[in-house]
Amino acid sequence: MEMLRYVEDKEEGQLLLLSKALHLRKIFAEHIVAVRHLQDAIQDTWDEFKQVKVSEIPEEELCCSLKPSEQQSFGCTTIAPGTNASNLVQSSTTPDRVNLTVKDILKRFPAIISIYYGLEDGTFRIYPAKTASEIEKCKQYDHKIRYWYTLASSPLPKDIVVLVDMDRANSSLAEKLIHRIIKSASPNDRIAIAFSKEEVNASLGRLNNYDWTGSYEEIGVHGFQGILMSGNEKNKKKQSEFVTRNIAQGKEGNPRGFSTLREIFVCGLEMLRKKLRPSLMQNRNESERLVIVTDRQNLTEGIDPNELTRAIQENTTGRFSVVSYTLHEAAQGTVRNLLEDISSRMSGPDTMMVIGLQDEGDLYSSDTTKSFLSFHEIAENLSKPLILVPYWDNFGYGIITSICFPIVVKKTFIGATCSDIPISNELERITAIKDMGESYAFIVDTYGRVLHHPLLPSPLSLDEDPTVVDITLLETDSSVRPLLRKMVNRIEGNEEVETFFVESIGRPRGVNVPNGIRFGKKRFHYFWTPINDTDLILNIAIRIEENGKITSSKCVCKSEVECRTPHFQYHRLDTVSEDSLCRYFNATVYKGNGTVKFAPTCFHNVQAYLREENKEWEDKVTQIFRDRTPASKFKIIKEDLQKSVWLVEEAENIWSTYDATFNNNAIGSRYIGTYDGVIGTFPGVQLQPIYDPRLMTWYQQAVVNKAEHPTVTVTTPYFDSIISGMVVTVATPLQRQNMDVEAVLAADFTLQFMVNKFIEALPACRNKYTCMLVDESGYVVLHNSFYNTTSCSSEEGRAKNITAAHITKLEPDIARDLIKEGFLKRRGCVDYARDIKYYFWKLQLSYPDKSFFSHNLSGLEYAILSLPYTSLHLVLMKPQPIFQHCHCALSLEDMEHHQACVDTCRRTCECPCIADEHTQPCSTGIEDDVHRIKLPACSPTGAVDSVIRDVRNIKKPCNNYECSTRPREQCNEDIGCLWAENKCHPVHELCTSNGVPSKKLNALSSLLKQTRLLTSSSWKDF
């Protein structure tokens, strides 16, 4: 490390906040100016738009008819599905001023990737033009139910209650209508559905004798009835399935409905009155919608307008609207008269609307979409930009945010216009806090909705609209709540607080589950400021060190001539000479050398990198790091990565020297990942563009277990597609003087090699004891039953209880006792990528000084010891002559008791015989909305687990493994050999499948040496 020097500076949080806020304001300001210009141009020239029939729009104007090979027009148009071909529309015939405005915008603001507008007549126009292949499901694209459009038509968050009253089986039109209403809900909204009084009566109980002013139980325990659920994609899909199921029951002769309109209002108002909002939302304006879908003829009998008006006023808190979709023509007049009467008695901007539906064509009329239109909200926000919580872009840019304005002509809403910002390009860069350890940043709006937070999924890992999350679900500590209230009220400030901090402990390799987490109290200094001309607030949370200082630290090159990387090799192997490549089991690698790759966020334009990483990119990156061309010349990659690239090359040099000196074939792939996203592999492989080492389990486990002394982490066994066998990864962090992690070094070893070394260190484990190494989540890293066991896929490894094997499955009796003693505890978090609650186990001996525990219980004799400088526990167990299987329950009554525990939230009484490692103790039915609970957020996972991209069919092997003549004791010492069926085999014959610098190189030996020490005095009395 002679080329580096350690630098520590005092950091001014207020200056850091100011610089980031100014940059964020600049980004939004450009888009706000651009969209406002287009809004003005359309509104001012609206009378100049010529109307044409949909059928007469030229093919070259339609996006869905354009092909990449054809000459593209300046802009193009899409037509919402269901729009009648004979309808007159305006969007495709834009006046000259609109065209000139768009051209000026694209010229003045080159960072704008697209600008567009959509109209109530069903037309949508985008600039520059997009081809059919660039628009997801082009002909099905309906802008009127997209997030950006529904928000522009009704800016406030909406609580939507849909009450379905079907009296006869002819309900296909109603089903399609309800599906469209569900799709129209944005991620900002919440939506509930009820089909009849009978469905909700199970929880309401006293519906027939309802008193408008009475206090009753909350509707919603029974299925979906009455549950206001977040309008994310998962919930909307489940609700659509629920609707289809209930409609089908009606068609089978099971009619549903309400006796009168009074009963409909009773249920709807109670559902709105009992709603739950995060505390930050209690005093905020919001919009409440009661949507009635009915085919009855007589609904208004026995209704007292005064009583109904009073009930609405007493049971609603925001802007209230009623929209009645009537499928019976005779009912439209009577319902309309009633709602108009109620509206006249109420003060404030409330909306009462009746929409008649006769056939499917009516579903797509402009009147139908007005069920979510609130002109009062639009008028208040006409000159205020609407900034959307990130969502999935249909035009190929991944997760984006948009700046939108409504288009209003003569006090009539006619559409919306927007510009898109790829969030991965801009917001990721603004919210990154470099060289300050655990410091971070987040952005919220005045409703407490999160635009960006490190506990939310990375925009690069999503392929659909993300969940809209309230900031109180991410910043859960009560000490932060007063600060959050000041933020949403746009009161600038800064304060020190001690608050919860979430760290990822990774996940077992080979299975697709969320990351487990570890959390504890740490001290932070929060700095926040509103962003001018928007409703956003930027906050920076800076970690305060134990000495009370706020500092930034980094390792830098001592001079410009230091840290040269003359052997830099970019990870792309498709452009490398075949003579430089060889076949390393199932992968093409760079022979005898390593390769370097950069995480997507290392590039200035992330989306461009992911779309078009090619030879030109490779040449420019190579010039920067091999030829020392200034990064500022090409402006494609960050300018401060030279030191990390040097560190990667230094590790590769050490690995090469080590292999030449010791000829150690037990080590497989080796890699180093740096804190700023540089990854080096040895031997060099080509990785997927999306790959980011910091999101991998081996990296996260090493970071979270950093300490004053060198630490070692070992992943659970997993099937490695390169060598076609089971491996484990051993990793250790490289730390700066203040313990911040600079990089993580890791190496793969075959499972059999590790098991052999484990048993060599503890000979009694060969036949006297059951022995295992368990990580802090209870997953088994090594077990003596793994000896001489092979698996040829992740699925087979899982079936044999090797991949993601858990102590509750392999040794349930020990797990039961650890639960009883309080050492093995259930923990939970919310994974906002999947929108689920995830439960996992936490294994920890109760007290810091208590690292050893032994127990003798009904013939079960075992001991567990925490290994120093690791996150592992060593477990030894004597044979069990009495019990040969899990014995949680000793009677039928006890068994029923434990079964009940699995289905409740009483996590401490769970029995591992029944509840596996992923059991979710609380209800996980479709009515269970994760946004109602207070669990910490799971740490986001990476976008991919399979990372190798084998692009060359190279046949020449890198090594010639002579396995057949080796004895057993030598067979498993080689990464390419495996003992099976009393013979040493090359690994690739058993399974066919389509290192560390300096002292750290001996990390495995150090771990095993520690294990040997534990066999003496600590176990004297065992």
Side-chain angles (χ1 to χ4, degrees):
M1 301 294 180
E2 295 81 4
M3 305 296 183
L4 302 181
R5 62 186 175 91
Y6 176 75
V7 178
E8 183 175 271
D9 296 316
K10 183 178 179 181
E11 190 67 50
E12 294 291 342
Q14 200 68 46
L15 293 177
L16 181 63
L17 175 70
L18 179 60
S19 64
K20 289 184 174 292
L22 288 174
H23 188 59
L24 187 58
R25 286 166 182 156
K26 179 182 177 182
I27 292 171
F28 284 121
E30 291 181 351
H31 288 264
I32 290 170
V33 169
V35 181
R36 187 172 279 149
H37 281 346
L38 183 55
Q39 177 199 35
D40 290 341
I42 295 173
Q43 291 175 163
D44 293 347
T45 62
W46 181 247
D47 292 337
E48 300 176 26
F49 279 75
K50 297 179 181 179
Q51 292 188 327
V52 297
K53 289 183 178 181
V54 170
S55 58
E56 296 176 357
I57 298 176
E59 286 286 311
E60 59 270 19
E61 286 290 324
L62 296 174
C63 305
C64 299
S65 299
L66 296 178
K67 298 178 181 179
S69 58
E70 297 176 345
Q71 180 68 36
Q72 293 187 14
S73 59
F74 169 55
C76 67
T77 300
T78 68
I79 308 296
T83 306
N84 196 301
S86 62
N87 284 4
L88 292 175
V89 296
Q90 294 167 292
S91 181
S92 68
T93 56
T94 50
D96 290 342
R97 179 183 163 185
V98 173
N99 289 331
L100 291 173
T101 298
V102 172
K103 290 178 179 179
D104 180 62
I105 289 171
L106 296 178
K107 182 179 179 180
R108 286 177 58 193
F109 306 113
I112 291 180
I113 57 175
S114 60
I115 191 166
Y116 49 87
Y117 61 90
L119 303 179
E120 280 284 274
D121 62 15
T123 56
F124 166 84
R125 190 157 182 85
I126 185 169
Y127 306 89
K130 300 289 183 182
T131 64
S133 61
E134 294 176 300
I135 302 179
E136 188 176 314
K137 298 178 181 178
C138 187
K139 292 187 177 181
Q140 283 76 49
Y141 181 72
D142 188 348
H143 68 273
K144 295 169 74 175
I145 59 173
R146 287 297 290 164
Y147 175 28
W148 60 270
Y149 194 87
T150 58
L151 184 68
S153 64
S154 181
L156 296 180
K158 297 185 291 292
D159 281 335
I160 306 163
V161 171
V162 182
L163 297 150
V164 186
D165 173 47
M166 303 305 301
D167 194 34
R168 52 191 169 88
N170 183 22
S171 52
S172 60
L173 182 60
E175 181 179 358
K176 292 177 181 177
L177 169 64
I178 300 167
H179 286 319
R180 185 165 175 80
I181 292 173
I182 293 172
K183 289 181 179 179
S184 299
S186 80
N188 288 334
D189 305 330
R190 299 191 303 172
I191 186 167
I193 301 172
F195 269 81
S196 72
K197 175 191 71 176
E198 285 74 16
E199 286 292 334
V200 298
N201 201 37
S203 57
L204 187 58
R206 289 166 284 189
L207 186 62
N208 291 330
N209 301 313
Y210 186 79
D211 178 357
W212 290 110
T213 60
S215 176
Y216 297 98
E217 299 175 7
E218 179 180 1
I219 299 174
V221 205
H222 184 68
F224 261 113
Q225 304 299 320
I227 294 291
L228 276 166
M229 300 183 68
S230 304
N232 58 66
E233 291 303 314
K234 175 192 170 186
N235 285 344
K236 291 198 287 188
K237 180 181 178 181
K238 292 294 185 183
Q239 286 177 319
S240 292
E241 294 170 354
F242 169 75
V243 168
T244 299
R245 191 164 58 247
N246 276 270
I247 292 289
Q249 292 175 359
K251 290 180 180 178
E252 293 171 2
N254 183 18
R256 298 173 180 270
F258 302 85
S259 298
T260 65
L261 188 62
R262 183 180 186 277
E263 284 188 349
I264 294 176
F265 271 92
V266 165
C267 281
L269 291 174
E270 181 72 351
M271 290 153 66
L272 288 172
R273 186 170 70 89
K274 293 292 187 179
K275 66 188 177 183
L276 297 177
R277 275 289 190 196
S279 59
L280 293 180
M281 295 287 291
Q282 288 178 357
N283 299 319
R284 314 297 299 180
N285 286 330
E286 57 189 11
S287 179
E288 299 173 323
R289 307 295 169 92
L290 195 60
V291 180
I292 302 169
V293 179
T294 180
D295 60 0
R296 287 184 181 269
Q297 181 174 356
N298 299 312
L299 271 172
T300 60
E301 294 179 4
I303 292 290
D304 181 348
N306 286 321
E307 178 191 45
L308 195 55
T309 302
R310 187 172 64 254
I312 292 172
Q313 292 172 334
E314 292 175 352
N315 289 278
T316 59
T317 58
R319 305 286 179 81
F320 181 71
S321 302
V322 177
V323 179
S324 176
Y325 291 99
T326 58
L327 279 68
H328 197 293
E329 188 173 2
Q332 294 175 23
T334 56
V335 175
R336 182 178 291 108
N337 291 338
L338 173 66
L339 295 182
E340 289 177 353
D341 188 3
I342 294 173
S343 182
S344 67
R345 299 168 187 266
M346 298 178 66
S347 59
D350 303 285
T351 302
M352 306 288 172
M353 182 182 297
V354 177
I355 299 174
L357 297 179
Q358 302 301 317
D359 54 45
E360 191 171 334
D362 292 335
L363 292 176
Y364 302 96
S365 70
S366 60
D367 284 343
T368 304
T369 59
K370 287 179 182 177
S371 62
F372 295 109
L373 176 63
S374 174
F375 183 73
H376 299 285
E377 296 175 27
I378 296 170
E380 293 172 4
N381 291 276
L382 190 59
S383 60
K384 179 182 177 181
L386 302 170
I387 301 178
L388 279 60
V389 174
Y391 67 102
W392 181 254
D393 177 44
N394 278 72
F395 309 132
Y397 290 101
I399 298 297
I400 61 171
T401 187
S402 298
I403 311 293
C404 298
F405 284 92
I407 303 173
V408 176
V409 176
K410 298 177 182 178
K411 296 185 178 181
T412 301
F413 175 80
I414 62 170
T417 179
C418 305
S419 175
D420 295 337
I421 304 175
I423 192 170
S424 51
N425 285 355
E426 302 295 350
L427 299 188
E428 287 269 345
R429 185 156 53 245
I430 290 171
T431 53
I433 309 294
K434 288 197 62 176
D435 305 322
M436 297 189 68
E438 295 157 338
S439 302
Y440 64 98
F442 61 82
I443 302 173
V444 296
D445 67 11
T446 52
Y447 286 97
R449 298 172 298 198
V450 182
L451 193 74
H452 184 89
H453 194 286
L455 288 179
L456 288 182
S458 165
L460 301 176
S461 66
L462 299 173
D463 57 6
E464 62 180 19
D465 287 352
T467 296
V468 175
V469 180
D470 188 272
I471 187 61
T472 58
L473 297 177
L474 304 179
E475 301 282 332
T476 58
D477 198 285
S478 58
S479 65
V480 181
R481 191 60 57 87
L483 281 61
L484 299 177
R485 289 197 182 97
K486 292 179 181 179
M487 292 180 199
V488 299
N489 286 304
R490 299 179 64 80
I491 302 173
E492 185 173 356
N494 71 91
E495 289 187 34
E496 289 187 19
V497 291
E498 188 176 37
T499 181
F500 280 121
F501 182 75
V502 174
E503 297 176 293
S504 171
I505 57 175
R507 53 180 171 168
R509 300 290 296 269
V511 291
N512 186 21
V513 297
N515 284 330
I517 60 170
R518 181 196 298 174
F519 56 91
K521 289 275 192 173
K522 295 189 178 182
R523 193 154 192 84
F524 286 84
H525 197 137
Y526 282 63
F527 299 84
W528 66 91
T529 185
I531 304 302
N532 293 347
D533 299 323
T534 76
D535 62 351
L536 301 180
I537 301 93
L538 172 64
N539 177 80
I540 294 177
I542 299 181
R543 172 86 161 91
I544 301 175
E545 298 178 15
E546 293 183 2
N547 58 13
K549 294 181 179 180
I550 296 178
T551 60
S552 62
S553 66
K554 56 185 175 181
C555 292
V556 299
C557 300
K558 289 184 176 179
S559 66
E560 292 184 3
V561 298
E562 308 290 359
C563 293
R564 292 183 177 178
T565 50
H567 306 295
F568 174 85
Q569 178 61 51
Y570 196 51
H571 79 113
R572 289 181 61 92
L573 301 181
D574 49 351
T575 59
V576 176
S577 167
E578 187 170 321
D579 293 337
S580 301
L581 305 176
C582 61
R583 171 68 44 177
Y584 183 69
F585 301 104
N586 288 323
T588 298
V589 302
Y590 201 94
K591 185 167 58 178
N593 288 288
T595 55
V596 180
K597 185 198 175 295
F598 303 91
T601 52
C602 291
F603 294 90
H604 291 308
N605 192 329
V606 176
Q607 292 297 333
Y609 161 73
L610 292 176
R611 286 196 308 268
E612 55 194 54
E613 185 196 24
N614 50 31
K615 185 65 167 60
E616 182 180 355
W617 283 73
E618 177 184 0
D619 290 343
K620 290 179 179 178
V621 171
T622 300
Q623 289 182 52
I624 292 170
F625 294 104
R626 185 189 294 171
D627 305 332
R628 300 303 299 271
T629 302
S632 57
K633 177 179 179 180
F634 301 117
K635 296 181 180 179
I636 63 170
I637 198 167
K638 295 178 180 178
E639 300 180 15
D640 53 357
L641 298 173
Q642 182 65 47
K643 175 261 304 177
S644 292
V645 174
W646 175 86
L647 193 62
V648 168
E649 190 164 300
E650 188 71 6
E652 293 171 356
N653 292 336
I654 295 174
W655 287 329
S656 298
T657 304
Y658 181 83
D659 287 353
T661 305
F662 296 101
N663 193 28
N664 190 336
N665 291 324
I667 304 177
S669 299
R670 280 158 284 188
Y671 25 98
I672 173 174
T674 68
Y675 81 104
D676 48 6
V678 181
I679 172 73
T681 59
F682 186 88
V685 296
Q686 182 162 339
L687 299 170
Q688 300 285 2
I690 197 71
Y691 183 81
D692 187 334
R694 299 164 296 184
L695 298 178
M696 298 296 109
T697 291
W698 56 268
Y699 186 95
Q700 293 179 344
Q701 286 183 342
V703 169
V704 78
N705 289 301
K706 65 184 181 180
E708 292 181 8
H709 302 279
T711 59
V712 175
T713 58
V714 185
T715 69
T716 54
Y718 63 99
F719 179 79
D720 181 65
S721 59
I722 296 181
I723 70 167
S724 296
M726 302 296 293
V727 302
V728 297
T729 301
V730 179
T732 187
L734 288 177
Q735 297 172 212
R736 304 171 191 155
Q737 293 178 16
N738 66 346
M739 290 178 54
D740 284 345
V741 173
E742 184 73 25
V744 173
L745 303 121
D748 293 339
F749 296 83
T750 63
L751 176 61
Q752 287 306 309
F753 173 81
M754 292 291 286
V755 173
N756 284 349
K757 295 299 181 184
F758 181 51
I759 293 177
E760 284 179 14
L762 299 167
C765 296
R766 194 177 300 275
N767 47 36
K768 186 177 180 181
Y769 298 121
T770 296
C771 306
M772 57 184 158
L773 285 179
V774 183
D775 69 15
E776 64 179 299
S777 297
Y779 286 102
V780 179
V781 173
L782 295 175
H783 194 288
N784 55 357
S785 66
F786 295 169
Y787 186 69
N788 201 26
T789 301
T790 61
S791 297
C792 294
S793 67
S794 294
E795 294 74 18
E796 185 182 352
R798 184 75 166 153
K800 291 183 176 181
N801 275 328
I802 299 176
T803 300
H806 200 269
I807 191 172
T808 56
K809 285 300 181 184
L810 283 184
E811 303 296 345
D813 286 327
I814 294 179
R816 171 188 60 86
D817 198 51
L818 291 173
I819 293 172
K820 179 183 177 182
E821 294 294 330
F823 297 145
L824 186 61
K825 297 181 179 180
R826 179 72 79 181
R827 293 289 183 262
C829 60
V830 176
D831 178 17
Y832 288 108
R834 298 172 174 86
D835 224 40
I836 62 171
K837 290 182 294 184
Y838 175 64
Y839 289 92
F840 55 96
W841 294 99
K842 171 69 174 177
L843 177 59
Q844 184 177 20
L845 300 188
S846 296
Y847 310 104
D849 58 343
K850 188 177 181 63
S851 60
F852 174 79
F853 175 76
S854 64
H855 209 181
N856 189 322
L857 176 68
S858 301
L860 174 66
E861 191 174 0
Y862 75 95
I864 179 171
L865 181 69
S866 296
L867 299 185
Y869 313 129
T870 78
S871 60
L872 302 176
H873 304 273
L874 177 62
V875 181
L876 300 184
M877 182 177 68
K878 284 185 176 180
Q880 302 177 62
I882 301 176
F883 299 103
Q884 300 299 324
H885 54 80
C886 187
H887 56 280
C888 289
L890 302 179
S891 68
L892 179 61
E893 181 181 352
D894 287 339
M895 179 63 76
E896 291 174 350
H897 167 70
H898 282 297
Q899 184 63 58
C901 289
V902 177
D903 298 326
T904 70
C905 294
R906 294 179 294 164
R907 304 171 197 158
T908 55
C909 70
E910 286 184 90
C911 172
C913 317
I914 303 167
D916 69 18
E917 67 271 23
H918 297 140
T919 295
Q920 300 185 11
C922 301
S923 168
T924 56
I926 52 180
E927 74 281 357
D928 193 15
D929 186 355
V930 300
H931 298 263
R932 290 177 173 269
I933 60 176
K934 288 290 184 181
L935 283 177
C938 301
S939 179
T941 56
V944 291
D945 201 28
S946 177
V947 300
I948 302 300
R949 187 180 181 186
D950 198 359
V951 295
R952 301 286 291 275
N953 187 23
I954 303 297
K955 302 295 185 183
K956 182 177 60 177
C958 299
N959 303 87
N960 184 19
Y961 292 103
E962 296 291 343
C963 300
S964 59
T965 59
R966 298 191 182 198
R968 180 169 187 162
E969 60 271 14
Q970 295 181 7
C971 181
N972 292 327
E973 296 286 332
D974 201 311
I975 193 76
C977 304
L978 191 63
W979 187 268
E981 300 175 350
N982 295 317
K983 184 181 178 182
C984 189
H985 298 264
V987 172
H988 68 273
E989 290 184 2
L990 290 175
C991 299
T992 302
S993 167
N994 290 325
V996 185
S998 186
K999 296 179 181 179
K1000 307 287 186 174
L1001 280 167
N1002 297 314
L1004 175 63
S1005 299
S1006 174
L1007 170 65
L1008 296 175
K1009 182 178 180 181
Q1010 295 164 22
T1011 306
R1012 291 190 187 97
L1013 293 175
L1014 301 177
T1015 62
S1016 55
S1017 58
S1018 298
W1019 303 96
K1020 188 177 299 182
D1021 299 324
F1022 180 66

